[in-house]
Coordinates of all heavy atoms in Angstrom, one line a residue:
M951 N 0.8 -1.2 0.0 CA 0.0 0.0 0.0 C 0.9 1.2 0.0 O 1.9 1.3 0.7 CB -0.9 0.0 1.2 CG -1.8 1.1 1.3 SD -2.9 1.0 2.8 CE -2.1 2.2 3.8
T952 N 0.5 2.2 -0.8 CA 1.3 3.4 -0.9 C 0.6 4.6 -0.1 O -0.6 4.8 -0.4 CB 1.5 3.8 -2.4 OG1 2.1 2.8 -3.0 CG2 2.3 5.1 -2.5
V953 N 1.3 5.2 0.7 CA 0.7 6.4 1.4 C 0.9 7.6 0.5 O 2.1 8.0 0.2 CB 1.4 6.6 2.8 CG1 0.8 7.8 3.5 CG2 1.1 5.3 3.7
T954 N -0.1 8.2 0.1 CA 0.0 9.3 -0.8 C -0.2 10.7 -0.2 O 0.0 11.7 -0.8 CB -1.1 9.2 -1.9 OG1 -2.3 9.1 -1.4 CG2 -0.8 8.0 -2.8
T955 N -0.7 10.7 1.1 CA -0.9 11.9 1.8 C 0.3 12.3 2.6 O 1.1 11.5 2.9 CB -2.1 11.9 2.7 OG1 -1.9 10.8 3.6 CG2 -3.4 11.6 1.9
A956 N 0.4 13.6 2.9 CA 1.6 14.1 3.7 C 1.5 13.6 5.1 O 2.5 13.3 5.7 CB 1.6 15.6 3.6
D957 N 0.3 13.4 5.6 CA 0.1 13.0 7.0 C 0.0 11.5 7.1 O -0.7 10.9 6.3 CB -1.1 13.6 7.6 CG -1.0 15.1 7.7 OD1 0.1 15.6 8.1 OD2 -2.0 15.8 7.5
A958 N 0.7 10.9 8.0 CA 0.5 9.5 8.2 C -0.9 9.1 8.7 O -1.5 10.0 9.3 CB 1.5 9.0 9.2
P959 N -1.4 8.0 8.3 CA -2.8 7.6 8.7 C -2.8 7.5 10.2 O -1.8 7.1 10.9 CB -3.0 6.3 8.0 CG -1.7 5.8 7.6 CD -0.8 7.0 7.4
T960 N -3.9 7.8 10.8 CA -4.0 7.8 12.3 C -4.2 6.3 12.7 O -5.2 5.7 12.3 CB -5.2 8.6 12.7 OG1 -5.0 9.9 12.3 CG2 -5.3 8.5 14.3
A961 N -3.3 5.8 13.4 CA -3.3 4.4 13.8 C -4.1 4.3 15.1 O -4.0 5.2 15.9 CB -1.9 3.8 14.0
Q962 N -4.9 3.2 15.2 CA -5.7 3.0 16.4 C -4.7 2.5 17.5 O -3.7 1.9 17.2 CB -6.8 2.0 16.2 CG -7.9 2.6 15.3 CD -9.1 1.7 15.4 OE1 -9.0 0.5 15.3 NE2 -10.3 2.3 15.4
L963 N -5.1 2.7 18.7 CA -4.4 2.2 19.8 C -4.6 0.7 20.0 O -5.6 0.2 19.6 CB -4.8 2.9 21.1 CG -4.5 4.4 21.1 CD1 -5.1 5.1 22.3 CD2 -3.0 4.7 21.1
T964 N -3.6 0.0 20.5 CA -3.7 -1.4 20.6 C -3.4 -1.8 22.1 O -3.1 -0.9 22.9 CB -2.7 -2.1 19.8 OG1 -1.4 -1.9 20.3 CG2 -2.7 -1.6 18.3
R965 N -3.6 -3.1 22.4 CA -3.3 -3.5 23.7 C -1.8 -3.3 24.1 O -1.5 -3.3 25.3 CB -3.6 -5.0 23.8 CG -5.1 -5.4 23.8 CD -5.3 -6.8 23.9 NE -6.7 -7.2 23.7 CZ -7.6 -7.0 24.7 NH1 -7.3 -6.6 25.9 NH2 -8.9 -7.3 24.4
Q966 N -1.0 -3.2 23.1 CA 0.4 -3.0 23.4 C 0.8 -1.5 23.8 O 1.8 -1.2 24.3 CB 1.3 -3.4 22.2 CG 1.5 -4.9 22.1 CD 0.3 -5.7 21.8 OE1 -0.4 -5.3 20.9 NE2 0.0 -6.7 22.6
D967 N -0.2 -0.6 23.6 CA 0.0 0.8 23.9 C -0.3 1.0 25.4 O -1.4 0.6 25.9 CB -0.9 1.7 23.1 CG -0.4 1.7 21.6 OD1 0.8 1.9 21.4 OD2 -1.2 1.5 20.7
R968 N 0.6 1.5 26.1 CA 0.5 1.7 27.6 C 0.6 3.1 28.0 O 1.4 3.9 27.4 CB 1.6 0.9 28.3 CG 1.5 -0.6 28.0 CD 0.4 -1.3 28.8 NE -0.1 -2.5 28.2 CZ -1.1 -3.2 28.8 NH1 -1.6 -2.8 29.9 NH2 -1.5 -4.3 28.2
C969 N -0.1 3.4 29.0 CA -0.1 4.8 29.6 C 1.4 5.1 30.0 O 2.0 4.3 30.7 CB -1.0 4.8 30.8 SG -0.9 6.4 31.7
D970 N 1.8 6.3 29.6 CA 3.2 6.7 30.0 C 3.3 6.9 31.5 O 4.4 7.0 32.0 CB 3.5 8.0 29.3 CG 3.7 7.8 27.8 OD1 4.1 6.7 27.4 OD2 3.4 8.8 27.0
R971 N 2.2 7.1 32.2 CA 2.3 7.5 33.6 C 2.2 6.3 34.5 O 2.9 6.2 35.5 CB 1.2 8.4 33.9 CG 1.3 9.8 33.3 CD 2.5 10.5 33.7 NE 2.6 11.9 33.1 CZ 3.2 12.1 32.0 NH1 3.8 11.2 31.3 NH2 3.2 13.4 31.5
C972 N 1.4 5.3 34.2 CA 1.2 4.2 35.1 C 1.3 2.8 34.5 O 1.2 1.8 35.2 CB -0.2 4.4 35.8 SG -1.6 4.1 34.7
G973 N 1.4 2.7 33.1 CA 1.5 1.4 32.5 C 0.2 0.7 32.2 O 0.3 -0.4 31.7
A974 N -0.9 1.3 32.6 CA -2.2 0.7 32.2 C -2.4 0.7 30.7 O -1.7 1.5 30.0 CB -3.3 1.4 32.9
Q975 N -3.4 0.0 30.2 CA -3.6 0.1 28.8 C -4.0 1.5 28.4 O -4.8 2.1 29.1 CB -4.7 -0.9 28.4 CG -4.9 -0.9 26.8 CD -5.9 -2.0 26.4 OE1 -6.2 -2.9 27.2 NE2 -6.3 -1.9 25.2
A976 N -3.4 2.0 27.3 CA -3.7 3.4 26.9 C -4.9 3.5 26.0 O -5.1 2.6 25.1 CB -2.5 3.9 26.1
Y977 N -5.8 4.5 26.3 CA -6.9 4.7 25.4 C -6.9 6.1 24.8 O -7.8 6.4 24.0 CB -8.2 4.5 26.3 CG -8.5 3.1 26.5 CD1 -8.2 2.5 27.7 CD2 -9.2 2.3 25.6 CE1 -8.4 1.1 28.0 CE2 -9.4 1.0 25.8 CZ -9.1 0.4 27.0 OH -9.3 -0.9 27.2
V978 N -5.9 6.9 25.1 CA -5.9 8.2 24.5 C -4.4 8.5 24.1 O -3.5 8.2 24.8 CB -6.3 9.3 25.5 CG1 -6.2 10.7 24.8 CG2 -7.7 9.0 26.0
R979 N -4.3 8.9 22.8 CA -3.0 9.4 22.4 C -3.0 10.9 22.1 O -3.9 11.3 21.4 CB -2.5 8.7 21.1 CG -1.2 9.3 20.6 CD -0.5 8.4 19.5 NE -1.4 8.1 18.4 CZ -1.5 6.9 17.9 NH1 -0.8 5.9 18.3 NH2 -2.4 6.7 16.9
A980 N -2.1 11.6 22.7 CA -2.0 13.0 22.4 C -0.7 13.3 21.7 O 0.4 12.9 22.1 CB -2.0 13.8 23.8
T981 N -0.9 14.0 20.5 CA 0.3 14.3 19.7 C 0.6 15.8 19.9 O -0.3 16.6 19.6 CB 0.1 14.0 18.3 OG1 -0.2 12.6 18.1 CG2 1.4 14.3 17.4
L982 N 1.7 16.1 20.5 CA 2.0 17.5 20.7 C 2.4 18.2 19.4 O 2.8 17.6 18.4 CB 3.2 17.6 21.7 CG 2.8 17.1 23.1 CD1 4.1 17.0 24.0 CD2 1.7 17.9 23.7
P983 N 2.3 19.5 19.3 CA 2.7 20.3 18.1 C 4.1 20.0 17.6 O 4.4 20.0 16.4 CB 2.5 21.7 18.5 CG 1.5 21.7 19.6 CD 1.7 20.4 20.4
G984 N 5.0 19.6 18.5 CA 6.4 19.3 18.2 C 6.5 17.9 17.5 O 7.5 17.5 17.0
G985 N 5.4 17.1 17.6 CA 5.4 15.8 17.0 C 5.5 14.6 17.9 O 5.4 13.5 17.5
S986 N 5.8 14.8 19.2 CA 5.9 13.7 20.1 C 4.6 13.2 20.6 O 3.6 14.0 20.7 CB 6.8 14.1 21.3 OG 6.3 15.3 21.9
D987 N 4.5 11.9 20.8 CA 3.3 11.3 21.2 C 3.3 11.0 22.7 O 4.3 10.5 23.2 CB 3.1 10.0 20.4 CG 2.6 10.2 19.0 OD1 2.1 11.3 18.7 OD2 2.6 9.2 18.3
L988 N 2.2 11.2 23.3 CA 2.0 10.8 24.7 C 0.8 9.8 24.8 O -0.2 10.1 24.1 CB 1.8 12.0 25.6 CG 2.9 13.0 25.7 CD1 2.4 14.3 26.4 CD2 4.1 12.4 26.4
L989 N 1.0 8.8 25.6 CA -0.1 7.8 25.7 C -0.7 7.9 27.2 O 0.1 8.0 28.1 CB 0.3 6.4 25.4 CG 0.9 6.2 24.0 CD1 1.4 4.8 23.9 CD2 -0.2 6.4 23.0
F990 N -2.0 7.8 27.3 CA -2.6 7.9 28.6 C -3.7 6.9 28.7 O -4.5 6.6 27.8 CB -3.3 9.3 28.8 CG -2.3 10.4 28.8 CD1 -2.1 11.2 27.7 CD2 -1.5 10.7 29.9 CE1 -1.2 12.3 27.7 CE2 -0.6 11.8 29.9 CZ -0.5 12.5 28.8
C991 N -3.9 6.4 29.9 CA -5.1 5.7 30.3 C -6.2 6.7 30.5 O -5.9 7.9 30.5 CB -4.9 4.8 31.6 SG -4.5 5.8 33.0
G992 N -7.4 6.3 30.7 CA -8.5 7.2 30.9 C -8.3 8.1 32.1 O -8.5 9.3 32.1
H993 N -7.8 7.5 33.2 CA -7.6 8.3 34.4 C -6.5 9.4 34.2 O -6.8 10.5 34.6 CB -7.1 7.3 35.5 CG -6.6 8.0 36.7 ND1 -7.5 8.5 37.7 CD2 -5.4 8.4 37.2 CE1 -6.8 9.1 38.7 NE2 -5.5 9.0 38.4
H994 N -5.4 9.0 33.6 CA -4.4 10.0 33.5 C -4.6 11.0 32.4 O -4.2 12.2 32.4 CB -3.0 9.4 33.3 CG -2.4 8.9 34.6 ND1 -2.4 7.5 34.9 CD2 -2.0 9.6 35.7 CE1 -1.9 7.4 36.1 NE2 -1.6 8.6 36.6
F995 N -5.4 10.6 31.4 CA -5.8 11.6 30.4 C -6.7 12.7 31.0 O -6.5 13.9 30.8 CB -6.6 11.0 29.2 CG -7.1 12.1 28.2 CD1 -6.1 12.8 27.5 CD2 -8.4 12.3 28.1 CE1 -6.6 13.8 26.6 CE2 -8.8 13.3 27.2 CZ -7.9 14.0 26.5
R996 N -7.6 12.3 31.9 CA -8.4 13.3 32.6 C -7.6 14.2 33.4 O -7.8 15.4 33.5 CB -9.5 12.6 33.5 CG -10.7 12.2 32.7 CD -11.8 11.8 33.6 NE -11.5 10.7 34.5 CZ -11.6 9.4 34.2 NH1 -12.0 9.1 33.0 NH2 -11.3 8.5 35.0
A997 N -6.5 13.6 34.0 CA -5.7 14.4 34.9 C -4.9 15.5 34.1 O -4.5 16.6 34.6 CB -4.7 13.5 35.6
H998 N -4.6 15.2 32.8 CA -3.7 16.1 32.0 C -4.5 16.8 30.9 O -3.9 17.5 30.1 CB -2.6 15.3 31.5 CG -1.6 14.8 32.5 ND1 -0.7 15.5 33.1 CD2 -1.5 13.5 33.1 CE1 0.0 14.8 34.0 NE2 -0.5 13.6 34.0
E999 N -5.8 16.5 30.8 CA -6.6 17.0 29.6 C -6.5 18.5 29.4 O -6.2 18.9 28.3 CB -8.0 16.5 29.8 CG -8.9 16.9 28.6 CD -10.3 16.2 28.7 OE1 -10.6 15.7 29.7 OE2 -11.0 16.3 27.7
A1000 N -6.6 19.2 30.5 CA -6.6 20.7 30.3 C -5.2 21.2 29.8 O -5.2 22.1 29.0 CB -7.0 21.4 31.6
A1001 N -4.2 20.6 30.4 CA -2.8 21.0 30.0 C -2.6 20.7 28.5 O -1.9 21.4 27.8 CB -1.8 20.4 30.9
L1002 N -3.0 19.5 28.1 CA -2.8 19.1 26.7 C -3.6 20.0 25.8 O -3.0 20.4 24.7 CB -3.3 17.6 26.6 CG -2.4 16.6 27.3 CD1 -3.1 15.2 27.3 CD2 -1.1 16.5 26.6
A1003 N -4.8 20.3 26.1 CA -5.6 21.2 25.3 C -4.9 22.6 25.2 O -4.8 23.2 24.1 CB -7.0 21.4 25.8
G1004 N -4.3 23.0 26.3 CA -3.6 24.3 26.3 C -2.4 24.3 25.5 O -2.0 25.3 25.0
A1005 N -1.8 23.1 25.4 CA -0.6 23.0 24.6 C -0.8 22.8 23.1 O 0.1 22.7 22.3 CB 0.3 21.8 25.1
G1006 N -2.1 22.7 22.8 CA -2.5 22.5 21.4 C -2.3 21.1 20.9 O -2.1 20.8 19.7
A1007 N -2.4 20.1 21.8 CA -2.1 18.7 21.4 C -3.3 18.2 20.5 O -4.5 18.6 20.7 CB -2.0 17.8 22.6
D1008 N -3.0 17.3 19.6 CA -4.0 16.6 18.8 C -4.3 15.3 19.5 O -3.5 14.5 19.6 CB -3.4 16.4 17.4 CG -4.4 15.8 16.4 OD1 -5.6 16.0 16.7 OD2 -4.0 15.2 15.4
V1009 N -5.6 15.2 19.9 CA -5.9 14.1 20.8 C -6.7 13.0 20.0 O -7.7 13.3 19.4 CB -6.7 14.6 22.0 CG1 -7.3 13.4 22.8 CG2 -5.9 15.5 22.8
L1010 N -6.3 11.8 20.1 CA -7.0 10.6 19.6 C -7.6 9.9 20.9 O -6.9 9.4 21.7 CB -6.1 9.6 18.9 CG -6.8 8.3 18.5 CD1 -7.8 8.5 17.5 CD2 -5.7 7.3 18.0
D1011 N -9.0 10.1 21.0 CA -9.6 9.6 22.2 C -10.4 8.3 21.9 O -11.4 8.3 21.1 CB -10.6 10.7 22.7 CG -11.2 10.3 24.0 OD1 -11.2 9.2 24.5 OD2 -11.8 11.2 24.6
E1012 N -9.9 7.2 22.4 CA -10.6 5.9 22.2 C -11.2 5.4 23.5 O -11.3 4.2 23.7 CB -9.6 4.9 21.5 CG -9.2 5.4 20.2 CD -8.5 4.3 19.4 OE1 -8.0 3.4 20.0 OE2 -8.4 4.5 18.1
R1013 N -11.5 6.3 24.4 CA -12.1 5.8 25.7 C -13.4 5.1 25.5 O -13.9 4.4 26.4 CB -12.2 7.0 26.6 CG -10.9 7.4 27.2 CD -11.0 8.6 28.2 NE -11.4 9.7 27.4 CZ -11.7 10.9 27.9 NH1 -11.7 11.0 29.2 NH2 -12.0 11.9 27.2
H1014 N -14.1 5.4 24.3 CA -15.4 4.7 24.1 C -15.2 3.2 23.9 O -16.1 2.4 23.9 CB -16.1 5.3 22.9 CG -15.3 5.2 21.6 ND1 -14.2 6.1 21.4 CD2 -15.3 4.4 20.5 CE1 -13.6 5.8 20.2 NE2 -14.3 4.8 19.7
L1015 N -13.9 2.8 23.7 CA -13.6 1.4 23.5 C -13.3 0.6 24.8 O -13.2 -0.6 24.8 CB -12.4 1.2 22.6 CG -12.5 1.8 21.1 CD1 -11.3 1.6 20.4 CD2 -13.7 1.1 20.4
I1016 N -13.3 1.4 25.9 CA -13.1 0.7 27.2 C -14.2 -0.2 27.5 O -15.4 0.2 27.3 CB -12.9 1.8 28.3 CG1 -11.7 2.6 28.1 CG2 -12.9 1.1 29.7 CD1 -11.5 3.8 29.1
D1017 N -13.9 -1.4 27.9 CA -14.9 -2.4 28.2 C -15.7 -2.0 29.4 O -15.2 -1.5 30.4 CB -14.3 -3.8 28.5 CG -13.6 -4.3 27.2 OD1 -14.1 -4.0 26.1 OD2 -12.6 -5.0 27.4
Ligands
ZN1080 ZN1 -2.3 6.0 33.6

């Protein structure tokens, strides 16, 4: 498959993605304007949500997939 767009496709989070803060399964990925990714569980995303929004992070929220 050839990627023709400038932006990489948004990959979904998997069971291998872990919260950077506590190691639980990650359900939210925040991409900072500088390009670095941060992964959060639901709990830690809520704890950092305001700061991430303030930093202009691009957020992929998959908390609806939590069992
Ligand atoms: Zn966490």
